[in-house]
Each structure stands twice: as C-alpha cells, then as structure tokens.
Amino acid sequence: MMMDMSSAPMRPAAIATVGHAPSAIRRAVVIGATAFLTVVDLFATQAILPALTRHYGVTPAAMGFAANACTIGMAIASLVIGIFSPRINRRFGILLSLVSLAVPTSLLAVAPGLMTFTALRVMQGLCMASAFALTLAHLGEQCSTADAGSAFAAYITGNVASNLVGRLIAAAAVDGLGLAWNFLLFAALNLVGAMLVYATIHSVAPIVEGMHGDGPWKALAAHWRNVRLRAAFGIGFCILFAFIGTFTFVNFVLVQPPLSLGMMSLGIVYFVFAPSVVTTLLAGPVASRIGTRVTLWAALALAAAGLPLLLTAHLAFVLGGMVLVAVGTFFAQAAVTGFVGRAASENRGIASGSYLACYFFGGLAGSALLGQLFDRHGWTACVVGIALALGVAAALASWLKE
C-alpha cells in the first residue's frame, strides 16, 4: 500500500518515463512494471513469516516486527524526499535507489541474526520509498494533464499487484529453493527495475516547485496545524496499522490447525488481493462523486465487515474476510491520498511526505502492538485491536470536510 507523493503540478509535457512509446498500452505496462519492481520487496516477506520464524527461532511478534521494520526506513525517506524532491535529479535518484536496494536485499540471504535482518529491512525501506517518491514526482512533472490520470492509475495498479505477486514469488521461491535464494531472487528483480528505469526515463531536469512561505520546516508546521490534514495523517496511521496487523499475523493462523496450509498454499492464498487491483482504481471517481468522508466510512465499514470472518475455522470464510479487509483498506488509502493532495494548497510534497511518514509509522506500530497481542492473547485479541484502529480512522474521517 503506497500513495501519490508527487509534489509538482502537472505539466503539459510528454511523459518521459516511456520515451517514444507508440501506444497507451505500452506506456501503462512500463509504468506499472516500474511500480511493481520498486516495491515488490515490501510485503513479500509477510508470506514467508512462518518459515522465517522457524529459521531464526523467535516468536511471531519478534519476526513480524523485524519483517515490517522496512516501514521505519520508508517513513524517514518519505518525509525527507517530500521536502527535498525538487532538488533531486529524477533519473539519477531513482537509479541509485533501485541499485542500492539490491544490496540489503541480497544481504538478507546471509543475515546471521534477527538484529541484522531488522537493520537490512530498514535499509530496504529507505531505498524503496526514495525510488517510489521520485518516480511519482517525475510522472507528475512530465505527464500532460490529459495523461496524468491514466499514468498514476497504472502506477498504483502495479503497486497493488506487487502485494499479490510478490507474496506468490516469495512463497514459491522458499518452497522450491529455500530462504537464501528467495532474497537473491528479489535482489535480481531490484536490478531489473533499475535497468527498466535506465531504458525508459530520460535525463529531464526536475521542475523546481517554488517553496511557499519561509522554508520547509515552517511549511511542515503549517500542515500539522491544519486540522483536516492532521486528521488525514491520523487516518493513514490507522489504515496501515490495521492492514499490517491483518496480513502479518493471519499467516500464522493459516499454517496452524485447523487450516494447516503449506508454504505454497499460503502463497496462493494471496490471490485475495486480486479484487483490490480493480477496485482501488475506482476510489478517486467515487470520492469525487460522494465525498471523501462518505467514501472512507464505506471503505472502513467494508474492511470491518471482514474481521469476524477471520475468526472462523473455515478457509473460505477466512479468505472472504481477507478480501474485504484488503479491498476496504486499499480503497480508503486511495481516497485519503487524494484528499491530502487537495487539502494542501501549498507545498504538497511536504504534506504528502508527512502523510506517508505517519502511514508507515502506523504500520510499524501495528506490527509491534498487535504482535504483542497475538503472542500473549491470541488471534482474537489481535483482531479486536485491528477493529479499534478502523474505528479510530472512521472517527477521524468526520474532520475531512471538503
């Protein structure tokens, strides 16, 4: 789950990301593939958590926190890139981020202990968020207004698809090749992403957006004084808190009796994200028609409706619950992303960076707090914690007046 961090207004220029692409289909494929290869590492590790837990001999909570530690790096990088993005060369920054990402990814194959594993995941997060943010800023600058909607839709779709395919790749690799080869395979995918960027993004100078006011730090403070943006930041925190809490610890439920799924079956389970690839694209038009608040309430209610199904002993019901949680949280994320862009009339890169920082810290908090609930009190207590986070998000949505 990511968001639009573009800080620059749309420019009436050709989209440089695809060069001289002869068709809209080719353009969409290239943009979607770039998004996919940038964040494919993010949640793929969740699909192999039981295997990692056994490998390191730790509790589910400890392994869940380590696997999701990338959110620390992503939160930091999101805010920093949001502030300094206008001064960074897009092509060089994206290439450097993706090549650098392959380093910690490959080192995970030989991480000797949980502390090293955690540190490498933080480094991955720094690189992933940097590449993601700079690519979106590049799209925002180089797309014409007419092309912008389809370009960002393709990028978001590639992002959502990575949640599904990344988990499938990880589960298949661990099942057939082992843990070490899994991380080496993902490092290779990072380098493929760098090659794609090298071939398709031209050396276009960044379009510097003027900094309104007295500087980035005062702009940051001004955004936090805005009650609507503050509420949106809190909603982002709650959304990833609930999402990570669900899709981290449900893995341990799926591999235990009575469900007792194997590693490959666990990967196939993540086809539950397939509907979200389609529904997420509808969030913008729906929010424009009925308003962000109503859209958020409906999306959060849908996610909450899936939680009781997660507590059943029947695989079909559990999968149905996972579908509802995925569709609802992705939809809510897309809706609040658009709201942040509209609510911040100035310095949108800083507003988006602040939102992403809160969003990813929410994921880290969800992993840590819900992991303790899971270890000490079981899956039911964890689901109750997820429900509370969705309830807080719904309450904060009442402040999103447009």
Side-chain angles (χ1 to χ4, degrees):
M1 296 179 72
M2 300 282 287
M3 66 164 282
D4 174 2
M5 265 195 64
S6 173
S7 61
M10 302 303 174
R11 306 287 177 169
I15 177 169
T17 304
V18 294
H20 303 290
S23 69
I25 294 176
R26 181 183 172 189
R27 177 181 65 189
V29 169
V30 169
I31 293 172
T34 302
F36 175 87
L37 294 166
T38 299
V39 295
V40 69
D41 306 74
L42 180 56
F43 293 120
T45 308
Q46 288 183 346
I48 58 172
L49 277 175
L52 287 168
T53 301
R54 291 191 298 271
H55 178 74
Y56 287 107
V58 296
T59 65
M63 196 67 245
F65 181 86
N68 292 315
C70 56
T71 56
I72 301 173
M74 299 194 84
I76 295 169
S78 297
L79 187 56
V80 171
I81 294 297
I83 293 173
F84 297 108
S85 169
R87 299 174 177 84
I88 300 173
N89 180 279
R90 304 294 186 243
R91 187 172 191 257
F92 177 78
I94 299 166
L95 278 172
L96 179 62
S97 297
L98 289 174
V99 172
S100 299
L101 175 58
V103 176
T105 304
S106 59
L107 290 176
L108 283 169
V110 293
L114 198 63
M115 289 296 293
T116 304
F117 186 96
T118 303
L120 290 171
R121 286 292 281 170
V122 173
M123 292 174 62
Q124 279 188 304
L126 288 167
C127 297
M128 277 187 277
S130 298
F132 189 91
L134 289 171
T135 302
L136 282 175
H138 177 77
L139 289 177
E141 291 164 354
Q142 304 304 323
C143 285
S144 67
T145 301
D147 287 339
S150 59
F152 283 116
Y155 202 81
I156 292 170
T157 301
N159 181 345
V160 177
S162 72
N163 277 269
L164 164 61
V165 182
R167 286 172 166 90
L168 289 173
I169 293 172
V174 171
D175 191 50
L177 302 172
L179 281 170
W181 281 102
N182 164 74
F183 293 115
L184 294 175
L185 175 59
F186 277 98
L189 289 175
N190 299 150
L191 294 177
V192 171
M195 289 188 287
L196 180 64
V197 168
Y198 180 82
T200 58
I201 292 184
H202 299 294
S203 296
V204 180
I207 301 172
V208 178
E209 181 186 31
M211 176 64 65
H212 300 279
D214 299 314
W217 304 112
K218 288 193 175 182
L220 181 65
H223 288 321
W224 276 95
R225 288 194 297 268
N226 184 322
V227 65
R228 297 191 303 156
L229 284 175
R230 201 161 59 237
F233 298 161
I235 292 169
F237 181 98
C238 292
I239 288 173
L240 199 60
F241 185 103
F243 180 87
I244 280 193
T246 301
F247 292 101
T248 295
F249 300 106
V250 74
N251 292 286
F252 297 100
V253 175
L254 291 169
V255 298
Q256 294 169 356
L259 300 177
S260 302
L261 297 184
M263 184 58 64
M264 195 59 227
S265 297
L266 187 62
I268 294 173
V269 157
Y270 284 98
F271 275 104
V272 295
F273 288 112
S276 300
V277 176
V278 177
T279 58
T280 301
L281 298 176
L282 304 176
V286 171
S288 297
R289 180 177 293 272
I290 66 175
T292 302
R293 282 190 297 175
V294 176
T295 300
L296 273 172
W297 285 331
L300 294 169
L302 186 67
L307 297 182
L309 298 176
L310 299 178
L311 299 175
T312 67
H314 300 285
L315 181 60
F317 290 160
V318 174
L319 295 180
M322 293 171 71
V323 169
L324 293 178
V325 173
V327 170
T329 51
F330 275 120
F331 209 89
Q333 164 68 354
V336 76
T337 293
F339 178 85
V340 170
R342 295 190 299 274
S345 57
E346 297 179 345
N347 303 312
R348 288 174 296 171
I350 296 176
S352 294
S354 299
Y355 174 84
L356 270 183
C358 292
Y359 176 74
F360 286 118
F361 275 126
L364 184 67
S367 178
L369 297 178
L370 294 175
Q372 290 302 312
L373 282 177
F374 183 84
D375 273 0
R376 299 184 184 197
H377 303 289
W379 178 230
T380 299
C382 185
V383 171
V384 170
I386 295 166
L388 289 174
L390 294 176
V392 171
L396 290 172
S398 62
W399 295 95
L400 302 188
K401 299 177 182 178
E402 301 195 63

